Amino acid sequence: MTTTSAPRELAPRYDAAAVEPRIYQRWMESGAFTPAPTKPEGAERFVIIQPPPNVTGALHLGHALTAFVEDILIRYHRMRGDDTLWLPGVDHASIAAQFVLDRILAEEGESRQSLGRERYLERMWRFMDETRDFIGEQHRRLGASLDWTRMRFTMDEGSARAVRVAFKRLWDAGLAYRGEALVNWCPRCRTTISDLENIKAEEAGTLWTIRYHLARADGSPDPDAWITVATTRPETLFGDTAVAVHPDDERYASLVGREAVLPFIGRRLPIIADGHVEREFGTGAVKVTPAHDFDDYEIGRRHGLPMVNVFDEEARLTEEAGPFAGWDRYDARKGVVAALAESGDLEGERPHQMVIGRCDRCRTVVEPRLSVQWFIRTKPLAERAMASVRERRTRIMPAHFEKVYNHWMENIHDWAVGRQLWWGHRIPAWYCPDGHITVTDVEAGPDACDECGRPAAELRQETDIFDTWFSSGLWPFSTLGWPDRTPDLERFYPTSVMETGYDILFFWVARMMMLGLFCTDVEPFHTVYLHGIVRDPYGQKMSKTKGNVVDPLQVVEEIGADALRFALVSGTSPGSDQRLTQARLEGGRNFTNKLWNAARFVLSARPEPMVEPAGEPTLPERWIRSRLAEVTERATRDLDELDLAGYVGTVYDFAWSEYCDWFLEAAKIDLRRQDASPGERTRVWRSLAEVLAGVLRLLHPALPFVTEEIWATLHRVDPEVTRGEELLITAAWPAVGARDAAAEEAMERVISTTRELRNLRQELEIQPAEWRAVTIVAGSATADAVLREAEPYISDLSRSKLTINPPGTGIPEHAAGTALGFAVIEASDAERRYVVDRHERERTELTEQIERVRALLASEFATKAPPQVVQRERDRLAELEARLAGLDEKRAIPRSGYSSRATDRC
RNA sequence: GGGCGAUUGGCUCAGCUGGUUAGAGCGCACGGUUCACAUCCGUGAGGUCACUGGUUCGAAUCCAGUAUCGCCCACCA
């Protein structure tokens, strides 16, 4: 670390861009991010395994939000002395990585094909080495206190082994199998994709109606008899193996059992009845293409139809398509339609809204494709995963996502885990020439075929790799050493909170639950915290194409990571989207600035010499400490309940509206009093500094940089205030102090009174700089005592030369009511007139209010509401009546004033 | 076709298990050159809590329905 001078003051302006990296460096050097070598005695576990960002990705606001939420929780628990681990990682993201590398290869004049598997993978690893640290670097800039010594990668050795072992166990348990099924195929990525990666949306299409001529006895088409089918995909016609109608559809009843002839190639198609067909749709007759449509596949299976594959892996028509063999699917569509039109068999076409699935990665229209694939049998896994949530062993926040989770789990399909890509974990299955399958978790592969004992040399490994989410699903424990029972696994598993966007609840959270329970017999985390999407100010999703993307790092450069963190976290609510506006960002920046300046004042106000504190604490001192106690309690509770916006808001309000607005101002007055002794000054300053220290501790998880920077100076200036704790990141979370209800109540009245005086001055258009004489007649003995103690504050903060009269002193007509008694302001006749009028209005209002409460108390409310609530209303009525009595009393008194009966208005 | 969520001052959002006069930030109006901060300070205006009905002594809050917006799931070619 560079040696810097050690200033005892803070710079006039907080320069986040300069301070933040320096502070981060200090944290790194302190080792604060890494858990102690052994678990501290009695410490509770708090562990978050970071959702690994894609290795190829640039940091976006979603990552930033995740990092901030997790960092706040980790810092909080670290300060509490819990056994804390936050483990970072990156995901190898098969398809996404391939996508990016393909582009790079294209620039280099190469391609996947030109390189071949081996050289391609070498190139990929080189690419990984170049980009792997990128996202971590960005997280460091955000202030994320991740334990970088435990950095993991879903393609590292540990993950690879976990993948093999998990798959072997699934295979042995009969939960992994290989079979033929219709899967989603992306013709551009040339791989299977999961249901989740197949993004469906309404699109405009065309519905064609086509005549299929009935077959005559010799199999030739009858030119005069036909059945008209409706289709949106004429090009799949070559894969038709039947025509289906509804069993109860009388229009076609006579045709069921006959055959139609497929145009172009003359295949004979049985006309079958199937309940799945909608009579109302199209013509009520549908061509059945089992190899290229999920519905038709089911029909085909029910009726034992042949399944004819007409597309190759790039969705070009195969030899099955006769004259159209080799055509692209969309060219073929046009060609088929044109040919049918020419032959007169195209009956009609009309525009049609339909749902089209596109590849999540490349937006290419997904093609259902019949192929032999590896599957995970998910039903039994899903059962357990649902039970965990139902029985509260894992809690989902917000709770309503439980329904979404259950619904998905209940309707889950088997998971097609194979991908026809190169970059990823290769499925550890070997085939022998006799068709036997051997699955092993041994990296080198099996010695021999499990079934027939053929030697390894004759076995051939599966070329498919796993869906990226398979290794991601093992993440919470593969990162801790599983399948070995490592000390880390023992100490840190299961983890505490899984924080991620609700948009990957199924992709990832659901799979971690299923695989976690299967592999480790325990839920991988206790709480799933789902955050929403960060949108632009108009509620639009951010996207590169819209050009409305906010780059977190740019924001950090401009206003600092703390400010961004404040903006994002104060707007977050689990499960809900938020809009990020300039105003919110400025709010964050302003708050760091406010803190900085408050601290700057505190540091500069330190009296010299510092001596033994002396004297009793003032009302503001007692008040602020009591308030800090309450805020500490609330902030702690908010954090325990994962209400982060609540936590930030609580401390923000306290710091700004109570500490800065009132206590700081009150303390200034005490520190500047001529008659204050050094001991008293020391005491007041200590209160100032200690409460500031309390605020810094409370705020550190939310605004780690600015609080740490202020802390450093505070510690240098007065280590007693920081209790000798040099670094805030490892300082103790504050304990809840004692409350002082009397002080809180009294100070509240002092504040109200001050406000009322300011308000009155403004209404009377008194110049802000002008000091006026004000006499306050205390409303009660208590108020009298409070007034005498608070006189300097009320005076100074309202620019009043204050005189305090005891209760019962005469109250002139132009006195104004305040929380502590009547205030008589030195005034001109016009001003007096104004105050008198003002009080007429007040009197009317008061009378109305009293009427309302009386009516309420006369109603059933009095007998049916809980006694406590009724009592509150009674108390309120008494206070209103007392105030009214005070007003009346005042009016009864001649202007000269004289003593009268005391009334307790306080 | 199912399901979920939202609807609170001009804008963005808080309002827990129903309980006084519904809060905040931004914006707006007025005022502020003193020793933390104009990235600030002070004062103020502004809300039939989407609508209809119900439960209740009492509803922004609970229930039912309606409307609008958004999202998720789904096998009408």
Side-chain angles (χ1 to χ4, degrees):
Chain A
M1 192 172 167
T2 52
T3 46
T4 48
S5 56
R8 298 172 66 85
E9 285 181 358
L10 298 173
R13 286 189 106 77
Y14 176 60
D15 182 358
V19 170
E20 291 180 348
R22 195 185 74 227
I23 293 282
Y24 199 87
Q25 193 58 34
R26 241 191 122 193
W27 289 332
M28 291 278 276
E29 283 159 11
S30 76
F33 300 167
T34 305
T38 55
K39 179 176 175 167
E41 192 73 22
E44 284 189 35
R45 167 165 66 212
F46 190 83
V47 179
I48 299 178
I49 310 289
Q50 185 191 29
N54 281 1
V55 62
T56 55
L59 189 94
H60 57 63
L61 283 171
H63 294 129
L65 182 54
T66 291
F68 290 154
V69 169
E70 295 184 347
D71 194 43
I72 285 175
L73 295 175
I74 284 293
R75 284 177 189 269
Y76 164 62
H77 285 276
R78 189 184 289 128
M79 289 176 79
R80 294 202 62 156
D82 294 341
D83 191 26
T84 307
L85 171 66
W86 187 20
L87 185 149
V90 284
D91 192 282
H92 67 281
S94 295
I95 300 186
Q98 169 182 301
F99 211 68
V100 176
L101 187 62
D102 278 358
R103 263 205 309 263
I104 295 173
L105 289 178
E107 282 168 21
E108 295 170 355
E110 296 278 359
S111 71
R112 240 184 297 169
Q113 290 71 22
S114 73
L115 289 177
R117 186 167 191 146
E118 205 166 312
R119 281 176 59 211
Y120 176 81
L121 287 176
E122 276 169 24
R123 181 68 189 85
M124 182 63 92
W125 275 109
R126 198 145 53 79
F127 175 56
M128 288 297 140
D129 291 339
E130 290 159 13
T131 54
R132 198 155 12 145
D133 290 334
F134 186 57
I135 199 96
E137 197 47 57
Q138 298 184 83
H139 275 87
R140 286 188 274 279
R141 189 63 194 84
L142 295 178
S145 57
L146 286 148
D147 181 1
W148 298 107
T149 65
R150 281 183 168 78
M151 183 73 188
R152 291 294 304 268
F153 183 37
T154 56
M155 274 299 278
D156 62 22
E157 252 320 298
S159 268
R161 181 152 164 258
V163 163
R164 291 193 303 267
V165 171
F167 187 70
K168 172 79 159 76
R169 289 194 191 172
L170 285 163
W171 172 257
D172 290 344
L175 294 175
Y177 66 94
R178 191 169 148 78
E180 188 182 58
L182 209 52
V183 294
N184 301 302
W185 179 266
C186 174
R188 166 131 184 237
C189 300
R190 271 172 288 157
T191 180
T192 308
I193 58 175
S194 69
D195 291 342
L196 291 170
E197 290 157 313
N198 179 17
I199 309 300
K200 291 166 192 143
E202 280 235 326
E203 291 188 26
T206 307
L207 186 69
W208 285 275
T209 40
I210 301 169
R211 290 175 184 166
Y212 282 11
H213 290 267
L214 298 182
R216 290 190 289 215
D218 64 355
S220 66
D222 181 342
D224 301 319
W226 59 77
I227 183 166
T228 306
V229 299
T231 182
T232 55
R233 300 210 55 196
E235 73 279 13
T236 63
L237 170 157
F238 306 101
D240 289 2
T241 52
V243 170
V245 297
H246 193 275
D248 301 335
D249 194 334
E250 295 183 355
R251 293 174 295 175
Y252 299 116
S254 63
L255 298 182
V256 173
R258 295 194 56 184
E259 287 182 327
V261 182
L262 192 60
F264 307 112
I265 56 173
R267 182 183 301 140
R268 290 164 71 163
L269 311 175
I271 297 173
I272 58 173
D274 191 287
H276 174 76
V277 177
E278 291 282 335
R279 273 174 283 182
E280 310 307 319
F281 189 88
T283 61
V286 57
K287 65 190 215 44
V288 182
T289 323
H292 295 289
D293 183 282
F294 286 93
D295 295 333
D296 293 3
Y297 180 71
E298 291 303 320
I299 295 177
R301 281 171 52 134
R302 279 198 287 275
H303 296 269
L305 298 175
M307 309 210 171
V308 179
N309 193 348
V310 298
F311 293 125
D312 68 10
E313 60 176 28
E314 288 175 58
R316 283 181 309 235
L317 296 186
T318 61
E319 293 306 316
E320 295 286 350
F324 293 96
W327 289 45
D328 169 78
R329 55 182 166 165
Y330 293 109
D331 295 338
R333 176 178 297 178
K334 287 185 202 133
V336 165
V337 169
L340 288 169
E342 198 170 319
S343 67
D345 288 329
L346 182 67
E347 199 161 277
E349 65 174 72
R350 62 176 172 82
H352 177 62
Q353 280 299 114
M354 52 196 281
V355 175
I356 304 265
R358 287 177 182 272
C359 173
D360 192 18
R361 184 52 47 189
C362 69
R363 314 312 298 173
T364 303
V365 174
V366 170
E367 196 63 56
R369 188 166 195 250
L370 192 63
S371 56
V372 177
Q373 296 281 334
W374 281 97
F375 288 92
I376 305 282
R377 212 180 296 282
T378 40
K379 281 262 185 294
L381 299 174
E383 287 299 328
R384 284 184 81 181
M386 274 190 285
S388 294
V389 170
R390 190 169 55 239
E391 288 154 23
R392 296 282 174 275
R393 286 187 298 273
T394 290
R395 181 177 59 139
I396 298 182
M397 282 186 67
H400 71 253
F401 270 97
E402 278 180 29
K403 282 188 194 165
V404 182
Y405 172 87
N406 285 333
H407 182 258
W408 189 77
M409 287 288 189
E410 278 160 12
N411 296 293
I412 198 165
H413 297 299
D414 282 354
W415 178 10
V417 282
R419 293 292 176 273
Q420 292 68 47
L421 305 169
W422 291 343
W423 173 237
H425 296 288
R426 201 158 160 184
I427 294 175
W430 278 259
Y431 306 105
C432 90
D434 292 336
H436 305 139
I437 297 173
T438 303
V439 171
T440 177
D441 54 16
V442 177
E443 188 179 7
D447 294 333
C449 175
D450 272 355
E451 286 184 43
C452 63
R454 279 173 184 268
E458 290 180 39
L459 307 183
R460 181 174 52 81
Q461 189 180 359
E462 170 63 65
T463 53
D464 281 8
I465 59 160
F466 281 105
D467 180 356
T468 301
W469 297 103
F470 187 78
S471 48
S472 309
L474 310 173
W475 188 242
F477 43 94
S478 68
T479 46
L480 294 171
W482 187 89
D484 294 333
R485 291 174 65 92
T486 60
D488 269 3
L489 192 70
E490 294 285 327
R491 182 172 164 192
F492 297 118
Y493 189 80
T495 70
S496 308
V497 176
M498 172 50 59
E499 200 280 358
T500 191
Y502 64 68
D503 48 339
I504 56 171
L505 178 65
F506 306 140
F507 273 106
W508 193 40
V509 179
R511 274 136 182 197
M512 283 190 288
M513 284 297 288
M514 293 192 291
L515 292 175
L517 284 161
F518 175 76
C519 292
T520 69
D521 275 319
V522 66
E523 291 72 20
F525 25 74
H526 296 308
T527 301
V528 176
Y529 178 105
L530 298 170
H531 68 243
I533 293 166
V534 182
R535 296 171 178 276
D536 81 357
Y538 308 100
Q540 300 286 312
K541 216 165 165 171
M542 292 185 183
S543 76
K544 278 184 202 152
T545 47
K546 282 187 211 142
N548 59 350
V549 176
V550 172
D551 174 9
L553 291 169
Q554 196 183 326
V555 174
V556 165
E557 280 314 307
E558 284 163 16
I559 61 174
D562 284 342
L564 174 63
R565 182 185 288 239
F566 180 88
L568 282 180
V569 171
S570 64
T572 195
S573 172
S576 305
D577 295 350
Q578 64 166 314
R579 298 177 190 205
L580 184 66
T581 60
Q582 192 60 32
R584 226 188 233 303
L585 290 170
E586 278 168 16
R589 182 200 54 178
N590 294 355
F591 185 43
T592 55
N593 179 256
K594 185 73 179 177
L595 264 187
W596 183 259
N597 281 297
R600 211 155 63 86
F601 167 75
V602 171
L603 286 163
S604 69
R606 187 164 186 266
E608 287 293 343
M610 289 288 281
V611 296
E612 265 306 292
E616 291 304 308
T618 62
L619 173 61
E621 286 177 84
R622 282 176 279 137
W623 168 74
I624 200 69
R625 286 179 189 275
S626 181
R627 294 298 308 134
L628 177 64
E630 201 244 350
V631 165
T632 302
E633 191 184 352
R634 269 181 52 193
T636 305
R637 193 177 54 231
D638 286 344
L639 283 166
D640 286 337
E641 290 170 1
L642 303 184
D643 178 1
L644 300 193
Y647 146 69
V648 170
T650 296
V651 191
Y652 171 90
D653 286 343
F654 174 72
W656 200 309
S657 309
E658 299 192 296
Y659 182 73
C660 289
D661 285 355
W662 292 98
F663 186 63
L664 221 60
E665 296 305 324
K668 276 181 196 171
I669 292 160
D670 287 322
L671 289 170
R672 285 167 193 165
R673 279 161 89 143
Q674 297 297 313
D675 59 347
S677 70
E680 287 169 324
R681 286 215 173 89
T682 300
R683 190 201 69 238
V684 170
W685 186 82
R686 276 270 152 73
S687 292
L688 207 48
E690 281 166 16
V691 176
L692 174 66
V695 168
L696 293 176
R697 285 178 198 264
L698 290 177
L699 226 36
H700 181 258
L703 305 177
F705 288 116
V706 71
T707 52
E708 187 74 79
E709 178 71 356
I710 293 168
W711 188 267
T713 310
L714 197 58
H715 178 73
R716 209 174 294 127
V717 166
D718 197 332
E720 269 188 64
V721 171
T722 55
R723 303 216 187 98
E725 295 179 298
E726 195 181 342
L727 275 179
L728 186 52
I729 189 174
T730 47
W733 186 253
V736 176
R739 297 290 295 274
D740 182 341
E744 289 200 36
E745 153 117 33
M747 189 66 188
E748 246 172 61
R749 284 179 188 266
V750 169
I751 289 171
S752 296
T753 300
T754 307
R755 287 210 166 115
E756 279 149 1
L757 290 174
R758 285 170 175 170
N759 173 347
L760 191 61
R761 286 169 57 95
Q762 178 126 345
E763 284 183 42
L764 294 177
E765 293 177 350
I766 294 169
Q767 291 303 305
E770 183 186 340
W771 287 75
R772 281 277 176 109
V774 173
T775 304
I776 298 184
V777 181
S780 68
T782 321
D784 190 56
V786 172
L787 278 166
R788 281 171 206 287
E789 181 170 13
E791 181 272 323
Y793 316 114
I794 298 174
S795 280
D796 210 288
L797 299 176
S798 68
R799 302 244 158 172
S800 305
K801 282 179 279 190
L802 221 53
T803 307
I804 292 154
N805 285 355
T809 318
I811 308 165
E813 200 181 11
H814 68 283
T818 74
L820 283 167
F822 281 103
V824 186
I825 192 158
E826 181 192 36
S828 67
D829 284 349
E831 288 170 347
R832 286 181 186 210
R833 194 65 254 153
Y834 179 86
V835 178
V836 171
D837 289 349
R838 190 175 180 267
H839 275 257
E840 269 317 301
R841 293 198 297 274
E842 191 182 332
R843 195 171 181 287
T844 315
E845 255 173 51
L846 215 48
T847 312
E848 280 169 9
Q849 273 184 46
I850 287 171
E851 275 317 302
R852 244 181 288 139
V853 182
R854 277 189 182 147
L856 181 66
L857 285 168
S859 71
E860 281 183 287
F861 171 80
T863 52
K864 296 203 172 170
Q868 268 187 320
V869 177
V870 177
Q871 190 53 45
R872 262 211 311 265
E873 289 306 306
R874 292 226 167 87
D875 293 347
R876 184 164 162 251
L877 180 63
E879 186 176 335
L880 291 170
E881 282 174 335
R883 272 165 58 190
L884 184 64
L887 288 180
D888 285 345
E889 178 191 1
K890 180 182 76 172
R891 289 165 60 79
I893 298 167
R895 276 185 199 193
S896 53
Y898 59 88
S899 284
S900 77
R901 186 173 51 84
T903 52
D904 192 343
R905 275 182 298 272
C906 186

